[in-house]
């Protein structure tokens, strides 16, 4: 059961990192610091006060910048690397509990977070074009809230987090499929 719970938690956290790299890093670091979760070395560095401060500062800059049309697109391009790396670290930090080889867990986290980030990057221009940029802060806030919710669920209710991630993926797929059909007709 621990294997399944660790893998589901890893999926939820890496998916959350695809939406916002900094929120799940802060959640995991703060919960580890509060002794709610245990992180094995080297991932226990996420609970270091200086690391938490650095993540919080960069996260705040990203939070503000992601609400500004144009700046958000630049952040999404850079986020392709940052979000995927955060997803890899978060997946590995949880999968270590389940005896998954570190290289495999990092690769899986990279794929999950990178896939969510790529989808997010593809969807944002649609929101910009259809709302003249006015919808970007709303979309960004929804992404941040979803990342926070996924992060908390991944730690406290991993099955629910994994199911929510599936619902998000299916929802985005249906949105794109419907949009493509409308373009063709």
């Amino acid at each position: 059961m621990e294997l399944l719970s660790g893998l589901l938690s890893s999926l939820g956290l890496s998916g959350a990192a695809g939406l916002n790299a900094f929120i799940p890093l802060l959640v995991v670091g703060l919960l580890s610091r509060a002794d709610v979760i245990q992180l094995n070395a080297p991932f226990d560095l996420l609970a270091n006060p200086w690391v938490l401060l650095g993540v919080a500062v960069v996260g705040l800059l990203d939070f503000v910048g992601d609400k500004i049309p144009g700046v958000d697109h630049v952040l999404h391009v850079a986020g392709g690397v940052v979000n995927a790396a955060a997803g890899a670290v978060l997946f590995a930090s949880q999968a270590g509990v389940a005896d998954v080889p570190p290289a495999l867990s990092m690769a899986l986290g990279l794929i999950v977070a990178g896939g969510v980030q790529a989808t997010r990057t593809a969807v944002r221009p649609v929101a910009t074009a259809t709302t003249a940029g006015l919808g970007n802060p709303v979309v960004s806030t929804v992404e941040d809230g979803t990342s926070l919710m996924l992060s908390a669920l991944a730690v406290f209710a991993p099955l629910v987090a994994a199911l929510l991630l599936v619902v998000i993926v299916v929802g985005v797929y249906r949105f794109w499929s419907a949009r493509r059909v409308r373009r063709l007709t």
Side-chain angles (χ1 to χ4, degrees), residues 83-106:
N83 292 51
V89 167
L90 288 162
F91 197 106
S93 76
Q94 300 303 301
V97 175
D99 294 328
V100 175
L104 176 61
S105 62
M106 291 192 87

Side-chain angles (χ1 to χ4, degrees), residues 14 27 53 68 77 86 90 92 104 113 117 120 122 132 135 143 151 155 164:
S14 59
V27 167
L53 179 62
I68 302 168
V77 170
L90 288 162
L104 176 61
Q117 169 63 18
R120 173 182 175 225
E143 291 169 351
S151 299
V155 173
L164 179 59

Side-chain angles (χ1 to χ4, degrees), residues 93-182:
S93 76
Q94 300 303 301
V97 175
D99 294 328
V100 175
L104 176 61
S105 62
M106 291 192 87
L108 291 171
L110 186 83
I111 290 167
V112 172
V116 171
Q117 169 63 18
T119 304
R120 173 182 175 225
T121 301
V123 169
R124 186 60 71 90
V126 175
T128 302
T130 58
T131 65
L134 298 176
N136 288 23
V138 174
V139 172
S140 177
T141 302
V142 169
E143 291 169 351
D144 294 339
T146 303
S147 180
L148 179 60
M149 182 173 44
L150 261 175
S151 299
L153 288 172
V155 173
F156 298 111
L159 178 60
V160 177
L163 290 173
L164 179 59
L165 193 56
V166 169
V167 167
I168 291 168
V169 168
V170 169
V172 169
Y173 174 77
R174 286 186 175 182
F175 170 79
W176 277 110
S177 295
R179 184 167 159 63
R180 192 172 343 139
V181 167
R182 277 185 289 198

